[in-house]
Amino acid sequence: MAVTGARPFSRAILTAVITATAFLSGHAQSRPKFDAFDVATIKPAGLDGPAAQGRWIRMESANRFVAHNHAVRTLIAAAYDLPPEAISGGASWVDSTRWEILAKTPGEIRPTLDEQMAMLRRLLSDRFQLEFHRQTKEFAIFALTVAPGGPKLTPTKISPDATPEGPPLVAFAVSPAVVHLPARYFTMGDFASLLQRSPLDRPVADRTGLTGRYDFDLDFSPDESLWGGLLPRPENPDKPALLQAMQEQLGLKLESTRGPVDTIVIDRVEQPTAN
């Protein structure tokens, strides 16, 4: 009787184990393959006034990707993690025409930045017919290093899985008097990449040796050396310039040097049909 009674119990346990394994396996595999946007709408920006001055690329929800007021050259720079100055070739509209991109990403989980850029690279290839080749060139660059006295950075308190939207957007909040950067869950590689795409005009190499993720705030006054000279330095600035602010507030510095940069040369690019 004991043996007979054990069979259905064991079968029930086995069924539960199989069910749980299937659930966990399905859960582990539920993260989408972020190789392309589900849908994407592209149209010329056609913006005037203050709206024409700003540009950004960000996730506005867990699966809503937006590129606002970007030229093709800056889209390529973002997608391939290069400063715009490392992108050459292409007709004049590559810089003059600005675009609005609204796209839906697969599933309900927010893609990482690397996954977002992989989908943007696919979009540039499919919809802008982008073709290019690479050349290694010697550039004036900045090396991001640790200042004497060591870094002044706080290890992040953010869990990337706390919400489907993931960590908050990291972007410069720019005004004529002060620029504020609230960085959260940020690596030094992320910081170098952000600096070289905006606001600096040359590649930035991370040579800090710091491997963690950090939360920090950076406040500085704009000047003509940043963002292509769009923002003049205020007459009576309340904050130091960027390089001084980085050293005082973050314990980091930028050193001018030269180094090889893997650049992109555009061979072909076409204006997409607005949709």
Side-chain angles (χ1 to χ4, degrees), residues 34 120 122 124 132 159 211 216 233 258 267:
F34 294 109
L120 179 57
R122 177 72 175 269
L124 289 167
F132 64 85
S159 169
T211 58
F216 60 86
R233 184 165 177 79
R258 294 190 66 84
D267 297 318

Side-chain angles (χ1 to χ4, degrees), residues 19-133:
T19 302
T21 302
F23 171 78
L24 291 173
S25 175
H27 182 72
Q29 296 175 2
S30 63
R31 186 173 181 83
K33 185 177 181 181
F34 294 109
D35 55 355
F37 295 117
D38 278 353
V39 293
T41 300
I42 305 172
K43 62 182 181 181
L47 300 173
D48 295 315
Q53 299 302 315
R55 70 170 189 244
W56 59 77
I57 296 175
R58 66 189 181 202
M59 296 296 299
E60 292 193 339
S61 69
N63 59 8
R64 179 185 170 92
F65 173 94
V66 174
H68 168 72
N69 198 32
H70 265 271
V72 167
R73 195 176 308 279
T74 56
L75 288 171
I76 298 171
Y80 289 92
D81 194 19
L82 291 169
E85 290 72 20
I87 316 295
S88 61
S92 60
W93 68 266
V94 167
D95 293 299
S96 61
T97 304
R98 303 299 178 93
W99 301 90
E100 296 287 311
I101 299 175
L102 173 61
K104 183 179 183 300
T105 64
E108 300 299 324
I109 299 173
R110 175 180 172 173
T112 65
L113 179 60
D114 286 345
E115 290 166 337
Q116 294 169 42
M117 294 304 102
M119 291 184 286
L120 179 57
R121 291 193 293 271
R122 177 72 175 269
L123 184 73
L124 289 167
S125 175
D126 291 348
R127 303 284 287 276
F128 288 87
Q129 302 298 304
L130 176 65
E131 297 177 5
F132 64 85
H133 66 277

